[in-house]
Amino acid sequence: MHKLEKIGLGGGCHWCTEAVFQSIKGVVSVEQGYLASNNENSSFSEGVCVNFNPETVNLQLLIEVHLATHKSTVNHSMRDKYRSAIYTFSEEQKTYAKQILASLNEQYQDKLVTNVLDFRAFSASREAIANYYYNNPGKPFCETFINPKLKLLLKNYSTFIDHEKLNHLKVKSLL
């Protein structure tokens, strides 16, 4: 098996972000919690660390999905809590992530506010809320905020989705 890679992603609620990336083929694990970088981004902000198999899913797709599933063009008042960022683990990954972000920026009407940052620290969420969506898919928060993101994945990234995990959404939409 190919060596796994890791990327940190932040932008919206970590419950939402966790569910999105748990639903993608090639993502081996998603650690939900709080990420920090350096300097003005040294405070912790909600996010996830995604461990993935680059032979199955590439960084380009992960970043594209990340931008599509949170408000990546909006500098709202909650950006300290929900920093729109890609946290990288090497200089090579940082350079590549910046290239991907620059090329994807052209597809958006408004400029992306997402930054590529150095990963400095991670603090895991408490165990009780890990795997939040898949333990609680019927909760109002999940139905209101996470299901629309997962439906977007089904519509726009169907080839890359673990359909077994999202069967409950397909059944619901048929009713």
Side-chain angles (χ1 to χ4, degrees):
M1 184 173 149
H2 196 272
K3 183 180 177 219
L4 295 181
E5 290 187 27
K6 182 184 248 187
I7 192 78
L9 301 167
C13 164
H14 50 32
W15 293 349
C16 297
T17 311
E18 176 189 53
V20 164
F21 290 99
Q22 284 176 327
S23 305
I24 297 176
K25 292 178 195 171
V27 171
V28 176
S29 66
V30 180
E31 302 165 85
Q32 176 204 120
Y34 305 87
L35 294 126
S37 184
N38 301 311
N39 305 318
E40 69 270 10
N41 297 303
S42 63
S43 63
F44 280 98
S45 182
E46 288 193 24
V48 297
C49 286
V50 177
N51 297 286
F52 63 99
N53 180 343
E55 289 185 352
T56 309
V57 63
N58 62 41
L59 190 57
Q60 168 95 22
L61 178 81
L62 294 176
I63 292 174
E64 188 177 319
V65 166
H66 178 56
L67 298 175
T69 55
H70 81 281
K71 294 179 179 175
S72 57
T73 60
V74 180
N75 254 331
H76 53 72
S77 62
M78 297 293 287
R79 277 293 172 219
D80 285 342
K81 183 177 180 181
Y82 305 118
R83 186 180 300 126
S84 183
I86 300 162
Y87 298 87
T88 58
F89 289 81
S90 69
E91 281 304 312
E92 179 185 40
Q93 191 181 54
K94 183 178 184 176
T95 300
Y96 186 44
K98 283 183 175 183
Q99 290 170 351
I100 293 167
L101 203 59
S103 70
L104 292 173
N105 199 27
E106 297 171 11
Q107 298 175 16
Y108 287 85
Q109 185 173 350
D110 297 319
K111 189 175 185 292
L112 292 167
V113 298
T114 308
N115 291 307
V116 177
L117 304 172
D118 295 320
F119 172 86
R120 183 184 58 81
F122 177 78
S123 176
S125 296
R126 62 188 197 281
E127 190 63 35
I129 62 170
N131 197 30
Y132 188 81
Y133 178 79
Y134 284 106
N135 287 335
N136 306 285
K139 288 213 173 187
F141 180 89
C142 296
E143 290 186 348
T144 303
F145 296 104
I146 302 176
N147 282 353
K149 294 171 192 265
L150 297 178
K151 288 177 181 174
L152 182 135
L153 287 181
L154 284 168
K155 180 181 175 194
N156 297 339
Y157 300 95
S158 183
T159 307
F160 307 101
I161 302 309
D162 183 339
H163 287 269
E164 280 186 34
K165 288 186 172 182
L166 299 181
N167 272 338
H168 64 286
L169 291 178
K170 293 182 209 170
V171 171
K172 256 188 190 175
S173 65
L174 295 175
L175 300 177

